[in-house]
Amino acid sequence: MMFEFRVQAVCPETGARAGELVTPHGIIETPVFMPVGTRATVKAMSPREMEEIEAQIVLSNTYHLYLRPGVELIEKAGGLHRFMNWHRPILTDSGGFQVFSLSGINRIKEDGVEFSSHLDGSRHFMTPELATRVQEGLGSDIAMCFDQCVELPCDEETARKSVERTLRWARRCKEVHRRDDQALFGIVQGALFDDLRKDCARELIAMDFPGYSIGGLSVGESHDEMYRILDLLNPILPQEKPRYLMGVGFPTNLVEGVARGVDMFDCVLPTRNGRNGTLLTSRGKFNIKHSRFEEDWGPIDPDCDCYACREFSKAYIRHLYRSGEMLGARLCSWHNLRYLISLMKGAREAILEGRFPQFRDRFHELFSTGKV
Ligand code: PRF
Ligand code: ZN
């Protein structure tokens, strides 16, 4: 069997799950944070370094790779794994989010989305069939259906239309998807409308996807609204299949997502924040450029085992930043990624050992107060 999801433990108080997702490029232990390698590289990190921080899977983007260098070139390289020299699992997003958020003027038609490239303005037409074909060419282990993610705030009529279209497009993706060494996930949309979310989930479940993504969140809604949708979907989505919350990477949201039955997360936050010196740590978030770190000889995070925390002081990393040295951005990205990977590893161990509620309380206490 090329794909399998085994739930190993469920927290009785919350529904948090620990599991194993079997893919052709290896077994992913969940809950998992997936670093983002938009353009076939996780910014500032080599694949060797990604292995060192125990990244289990990376995410890449159909939209970007389709525009440059093109799927034909990556096929000539022998697929995305070989092209980027990353031999653990890869998940690709379909472009359903990026064509709306990144591209120039786009026109949504029943058949697909007409958009202009953010690189050179050239016109393109992305369809469910093309997004599926491109992801098959890339050879990712997990592919996404081409969906329509609406902006918030959004009225019910617009949200309903986007759900209906997302469902028709999901059917078309599934229809043309051929690779049996690639799992195609359905994406739940529906903005902040409970009934639309439920209907969308039920329709996708009837199509029997090997996993379900939760899209259209972390797009400007409050945390409580996000948690309400997750609480709503938790009992509906099949227990025996993986759930992936798209584009969510703030530590508090990861832990609360896990508490609501989410198994997989991705976000550019750790790398994007890392590049501007913002650090995510067990004691909260701060920026390394702050003057209070001028003579701080301690590590970024005393609880972190990453290279940056083991071997460098905050004073030194602050100096790198102020001097515009690229090692500064590298060390901060390195730490942020390792922190989120460790956070999910900690959650997993807590679930397996039956102490997830205590883990969750302790996390919030330390993250919000910075006090041990
Ligand atoms: N759809 C897809 N990718 C996504 C999203 C979505 O809704 C989001 C929303 N946070 C992030 N990435 N296809
Ligand atoms: Zn660290």
Side-chain angles (χ1 to χ4, degrees):
M1 189 111 91
M2 283 214 181
F3 286 94
E4 199 183 337
F5 184 62
R6 302 190 274 258
V7 177
Q8 297 169 295
V10 180
C11 166
E13 292 92 343
T14 64
R17 306 124 59 82
E20 282 182 333
L21 177 56
V22 182
T23 80
H25 287 86
I27 298 174
I28 300 158
E29 296 184 328
T30 65
V32 64
F33 177 76
M34 308 186 285
V36 176
T38 295
R39 304 194 285 194
T41 173
V42 177
K43 291 188 199 305
M45 299 290 290
S46 71
R48 180 186 289 173
E49 292 161 349
M50 293 299 288
E51 285 191 9
E52 205 226 70
I53 62 171
E54 296 180 33
Q56 304 186 68
I57 170 171
V58 302
L59 176 145
S60 201
N61 286 103
T62 302
Y63 170 84
H64 295 81
L65 298 179
Y66 160 80
L67 289 175
R68 186 175 62 193
V71 66
E72 294 79 12
L73 187 88
I74 294 175
E75 284 179 307
K76 278 183 198 152
L80 185 55
H81 289 88
R82 281 208 204 166
F83 184 55
M84 65 186 285
N85 192 36
W86 170 257
H87 300 285
R88 291 182 182 179
I90 297 176
L91 181 150
T92 44
D93 196 356
S94 56
F97 184 61
Q98 285 75 26
V99 288
F100 297 103
S101 58
L102 294 179
S103 74
I105 349 98
N106 61 60
R107 283 229 307 268
I108 307 167
K109 302 183 170 179
E110 181 51 28
D111 227 30
V113 183
E114 216 178 84
F115 68 96
S116 50
S117 163
H118 69 295
L119 297 173
D120 61 5
S122 57
R123 300 293 294 167
H124 299 268
F125 194 59
M126 185 55 75
T127 63
E129 290 77 14
L130 181 56
T132 307
R133 178 143 50 81
V134 172
Q135 293 181 88
E136 290 191 325
L138 297 173
S140 50
D141 298 85
I142 303 170
M144 293 299 124
C145 284
F146 189 61
D147 60 325
Q148 186 191 350
C149 175
V150 292
E151 276 175 40
L152 295 181
C154 163
D155 63 78
E156 190 163 0
E157 194 47 32
T158 309
R160 182 188 315 283
K161 284 193 172 130
S162 85
V163 164
E164 285 165 359
R165 180 167 283 125
T166 292
L167 289 169
R168 288 193 298 273
W169 284 358
R171 248 174 235 114
R172 283 164 55 186
C173 289
K174 195 160 195 290
E175 186 67 29
V176 296
H177 187 253
R178 290 282 168 275
R179 284 188 80 144
D180 60 8
D181 59 349
Q182 182 181 64
L184 177 69
F185 281 24
I187 304 180
V188 181
Q189 292 289 349
L192 300 178
F193 299 98
D194 294 9
D195 289 344
L196 291 179
R197 284 278 176 184
K198 283 190 210 162
D199 288 348
C200 189
R202 292 204 180 101
E203 292 286 332
L204 289 169
I205 293 163
M207 292 182 225
D208 192 27
F209 286 97
Y212 297 94
S213 306
I214 303 164
L217 291 179
S218 201
V219 290
E221 78 283 8
S222 68
H223 290 181
D224 285 345
E225 287 170 315
M226 179 196 291
Y227 300 155
R228 194 189 80 230
I229 300 297
L230 296 179
D231 281 328
L232 187 85
L233 293 174
N234 193 5
I236 298 178
L237 294 171
Q239 285 295 322
E240 69 285 2
K241 291 184 180 175
R243 297 104 173 257
Y244 160 31
L245 177 54
M246 311 186 85
V248 169
F250 195 70
T252 325
N253 297 159
L254 292 194
V255 173
E256 290 307 299
V258 169
R260 290 163 176 78
V262 176
D263 306 299
M264 308 158 73
F265 304 85
D266 80 284
C267 196
V268 296
L269 189 89
T271 38
R272 185 171 289 168
N273 274 355
R275 289 197 300 286
N276 66 40
T278 302
L279 293 160
L280 306 167
T281 79
S282 59
R283 285 152 177 78
K285 180 175 128 169
F286 59 81
N287 195 294
I288 195 67
K289 285 178 275 194
H290 202 283
S291 60
R292 72 177 186 273
F293 302 126
E294 185 176 6
E295 296 185 29
D296 189 328
W297 311 110
I300 295 169
D301 185 343
D303 290 340
C304 180
D305 61 3
C306 86
Y307 176 58
C309 291
R310 282 193 327 259
E311 309 211 3
F312 303 94
S313 64
K314 287 205 272 310
Y316 176 63
I317 298 171
R318 173 172 181 272
H319 155 73
L320 292 176
Y321 254 99
R322 283 163 48 88
S323 312
E325 287 292 341
M326 67 169 100
L327 184 59
R330 262 171 54 64
L331 291 176
C332 291
S333 300
W334 197 316
H335 163 79
N336 282 347
L337 287 171
R338 176 62 190 162
Y339 169 65
L340 293 186
I341 289 167
S342 299
L343 182 63
M344 291 297 92
K345 190 179 175 182
R348 175 181 159 79
E349 285 164 4
I351 297 164
L352 289 171
E353 291 167 15
R355 49 175 181 80
F356 179 73
Q358 295 90 308
F359 171 90
R360 179 191 190 181
D361 290 346
R362 166 100 188 127
F363 159 79
H364 286 301
E365 174 70 15
L366 194 54
F367 191 81
S368 61
T369 66
K371 293 206 183 79
V372 188

